């Protein structure tokens, strides 16, 4: 075997090098530059050119229109839900800290009464336009006015943000970038078609535009030119705004000639778990069960023959309703039972001068949304379809609660409460 021997001087050199290498990780490293707004702005500029522009070009947006919309564009650092690259992850409120209370707080009577008074005045001011809108789309004026009032205070609310700036910021560095990227590309298409100048395209902080609060994709699908000036102007034109709202509802399934719904009374012995659009039946079949209008008046004959659905947004702790498919058309505008009820009640106030719902909203106890999610998960393990364990008790959760209660010898309440959570556990 051949052996190699190192001379003492070379051996000392090798040992010194090994010592240096072993200590190298302990030596101070060059400090990495902390992220700054300026560096993120530079990344944003590169993103616009190297990422967004190629996709916009593939979608048919000309370079001239792209430059018109994005020239001098900067990030809006004041928007919520931002996740700038290189910055610490945004702090979000823990699900366990979010509280769920009675829906009653949503229906502030002072606010509703004020909107109704303004709506009645505007119904007279715009009577001719509203009549033409109803003839064209089949949606009654009070419903259109109610949405206009709810979304933008009948056009009086300040809508101060640049839609392009909001959408570009959120497409680049929000917690939901893909959603806003789609809407940003739709906004570029709106500008390219000449419907609105970039500087006049105003939106909310969430990118909802104009008096009707359409996202750009909804604008392209539903906005209409009703005043005949060649533009779909939901920012400045009342006729365009009203007709665009009506067109949205009609395309979402609004059935002309039908109401949105009726406050009702579900008698003792009839379960609240009848709820849900997938359990629709002729309203006459609901009356056969003993369900009546709270006013005591009969359901209109045309409604009796048509399908209706039970709705109990607070279970037995609040008003009960029989609603029509038009209720769910309103929900397409904003996917919330409470929103659709707000619109329905406001429309009735405008049209008929009625007041709040007759049955009051009762307190059922405060729960954490994480507790509701836990309750939903437990019901899922028992075979119930709750619509997902998201901490929000939609109709599938409410009726599953009622069905579980009935199966376990309890009176159905169809609403999550602290007592129910303890019982299911």
């Amino acid at each position: 075997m051949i052996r190699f021997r190192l001379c003492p001087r070379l051996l000392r050199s090798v040992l010194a090098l090994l010592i240096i290498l072993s200590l190298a990780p302990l030596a101070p490293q060059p400090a990495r530059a902390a992220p700054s707004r300026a560096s993120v702005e530079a990344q944003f500029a590169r993103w616009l050119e190297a990422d967004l522009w190629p996709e916009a070009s593939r979608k048919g947006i000309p370079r001239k229109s792209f430059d018109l919309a994005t020239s001098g564009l900067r990030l809006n650092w004041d928007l919520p839900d931002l996740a700038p690259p290189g910055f610490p992850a945004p702090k979000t409120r823990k699900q366990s800290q979010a509280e769920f209370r009675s829906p009653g707080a949503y229906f502030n009577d002072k606010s509703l009464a004020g909107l109704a008074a303004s709506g009645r005045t505007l119904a007279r001011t715009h009577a001719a336009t509203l009549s033409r809108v109803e003839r064209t789309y089949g949606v009654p004026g009070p419903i259109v006015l109610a949405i206009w009032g709810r979304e933008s205070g009948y056009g009086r609310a300040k809508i101060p943000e640049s839609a392009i700036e909001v959408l570009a910021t959120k497409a680049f560095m929000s917690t939901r970038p893909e959603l806003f990227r789609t809407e940003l590309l739709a906004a570029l298409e709106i500008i390219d078609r000449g419907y609105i100048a970039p500087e006049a395209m105003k939106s909310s902080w969430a990118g909802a535009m104009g008096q009707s609060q359409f996202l750009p994709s909804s604008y392209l699908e539903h906005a209409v030119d009703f005043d005949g000036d060649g533009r779909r102007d939901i920012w400045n034109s009342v006729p365009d705004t009203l007709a665009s709202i009506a067109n949205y509802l009609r395309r979402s399934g609004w059935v002309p000639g039908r109401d949105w719904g009726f406050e009702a009374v579900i008698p003792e012995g009839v379960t609240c778990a009848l709820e849900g659009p997938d359990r629709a039946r002729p309203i006459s079949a609901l009356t056969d069960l003993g369900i009546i209008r709270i006013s005591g008046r009969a359901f209109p004959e045309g409604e009796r023959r048509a399908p209706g659905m039970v709705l109990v947004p607070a279970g037995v702790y609040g008003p009960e309703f029989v609603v029509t498919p038009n209720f769910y058309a309103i929900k397409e505008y904003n996917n919330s039972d409470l929103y659709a009820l707000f619109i329905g009640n406001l429309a009735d106030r405008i049209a008929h001068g009625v007041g709040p719902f007759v049955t009051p909203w009762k307190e059922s106890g405060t729960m954490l949304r994480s507790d509701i999610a836990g309750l939903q998960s437990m019901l899922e393990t028992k075979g119930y379809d709750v619509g997902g364990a998201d901490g929000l008790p939609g109709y599938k959760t409410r009726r599953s609660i009622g069905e579980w209660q009935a199966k376990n010898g309890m009176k159905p309440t169809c609403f999550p409460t602290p007592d129910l959570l303890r019982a299911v556990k």
Side-chain angles (χ1 to χ4, degrees), residues 100-105 268 313-320 358-366 411 415-417:
F100 182 85
R101 300 176 181 272
S102 165
E268 289 288 335
V316 300
Y317 302 104
E320 301 162 334
V358 176
T359 300
W361 302 91
K362 303 171 188 175
E363 289 296 329
S364 57
T366 300
K411 180 180 178 181
F415 202 68
T417 64

Side-chain angles (χ1 to χ4, degrees), residues 10-24:
L10 181 58
L11 180 61
R12 287 194 298 270
S13 298
V14 170
L15 290 175
L17 178 60
L18 291 174
I19 291 172
I20 291 172
L21 292 174
S22 68
L23 293 177

